[in-house]
């Protein structure tokens, strides 16, 4: 069902030759399908020319703390993305570009993303991540080796998880949390809340 909805929404995007006009999508946590039910987030991805901007907020309950320490997403066709820390917010300077493929078990492999120390599973102290109630902005330089159609923001949140081993298959955006007060960690997929 999610793929059908996504395909219908993609067809409504207004685009020009080569790269889409400014379009965006908003996502929120799919807590029902997270691995531990501890972390939550809200996100906005916006594509303007050759820059994909991700505004990512840690909305986890304050009582249990927790840090957002990484995220992954996929690209359609020949889409490419590389993190540009020079344009990103200062509080995400410890995040490192992931790729070209990153294992984000149990959700499978993803093409793009960033994590503390460049490590989805660990990456040093989670306290260098985005704390509860905080927001970070990540900017990616994007391109497309397939020039047959213009890029859309949806080209970067396609159904993903290649090789996923369980029911957690088909998400195009996934967030990693570590350092909760109870010692827990979480992996949380995203759901669309506002398409273009």
């Amino acid at each position: 069902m999610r793929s059908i909805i996504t395909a219908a929404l993609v067809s409504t995007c207004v685009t020009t030759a080569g790269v889409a006009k400014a379009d965006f999508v908003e996502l929120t946590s799919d807590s029902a399908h997270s691995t531990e039910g501890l972390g939550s987030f809200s996100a906005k991805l916006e594509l303007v020319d050759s820059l994909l901007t991700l505004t990512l907020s840690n909305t986890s309950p304050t009582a249990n703390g927790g840090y957002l320490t990484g995220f992954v997403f996929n690209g359609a066709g020949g889409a490419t993305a590389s993190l540009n820390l020079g344009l990103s917010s200062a509080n995400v300077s410890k995040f490192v570009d992931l790729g070209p493929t990153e294992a984000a078990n149990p959700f499978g492999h993803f093409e793009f993303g960033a994590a503390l120390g460049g490590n989805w599973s660990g990456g040093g102290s989670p306290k260098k991540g985005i704390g509860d109630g905080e927001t970070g902005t990540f900017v990616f330089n994007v391109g497309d080796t397939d020039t047959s159609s213009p890029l859309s923001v949806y080209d970067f949140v396609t159904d993903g998880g290649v090789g996923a081993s369980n029911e957690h298959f088909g998400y195009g955006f996934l967030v990693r949390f570590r350092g909760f007060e109870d010692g827990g960690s979480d992996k949380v997929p995203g759901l669309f809340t506002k398409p273009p």
Side-chain angles (χ1 to χ4, degrees):
M1 179 67 173
R2 182 172 44 254
S3 294
I4 294 169
I5 293 170
T6 300
L9 293 172
V10 169
S11 68
T12 65
C13 294
V14 179
T15 60
T16 62
V19 177
K21 287 184 181 177
D23 61 341
F24 71 95
V25 64
E26 292 180 0
L27 299 110
T28 191
S29 307
D30 183 356
S31 299
H33 292 101
S34 73
T35 56
E36 301 298 329
L38 298 173
S40 62
F41 69 90
S42 63
K44 179 179 179 181
L45 285 92
E46 184 173 16
L47 179 62
V48 179
D49 297 326
S50 61
L51 296 178
L52 179 70
T53 301
L54 166 63
T55 305
L56 188 56
S57 299
N58 182 345
T59 60
S60 302
T62 303
N64 196 23
Y67 296 86
L68 194 157
T69 61
F71 60 91
V72 289
F73 58 97
N74 275 320
T80 62
S82 60
L83 182 62
N84 185 329
L85 282 175
L87 296 178
S88 300
S89 61
N91 67 331
V92 302
S93 65
K94 300 297 182 187
F95 283 75
V96 176
D97 201 29
L98 298 175
T101 58
E102 182 71 18
N105 294 322
F107 295 87
H109 289 80
F110 290 76
E111 294 177 287
F112 312 114
L116 290 179
N119 188 324
W120 170 260
S121 298
S125 172
K127 293 181 179 181
K128 295 178 182 175
I130 300 169
D132 61 276
E134 295 179 353
T135 298
T137 302
F138 300 84
V139 178
F140 288 81
N141 295 327
V142 299
D144 192 2
T145 60
D146 176 7
T147 58
S148 62
S149 61
L151 283 175
S152 163
V153 71
Y154 276 104
D155 289 325
F156 297 97
V157 286
T158 62
D159 286 351
V162 176
S165 59
N166 63 19
E167 75 277 5
H168 299 305
F169 183 80
Y171 291 96
F173 188 81
L174 183 64
V175 175
R176 175 84 160 113
F177 293 89
R178 294 188 297 122
F180 288 100
E181 293 293 330
D182 64 5
S185 65
D186 205 358
K187 299 169 185 173
V188 186
L191 290 173
F192 295 117
T193 59
K194 191 169 185 179

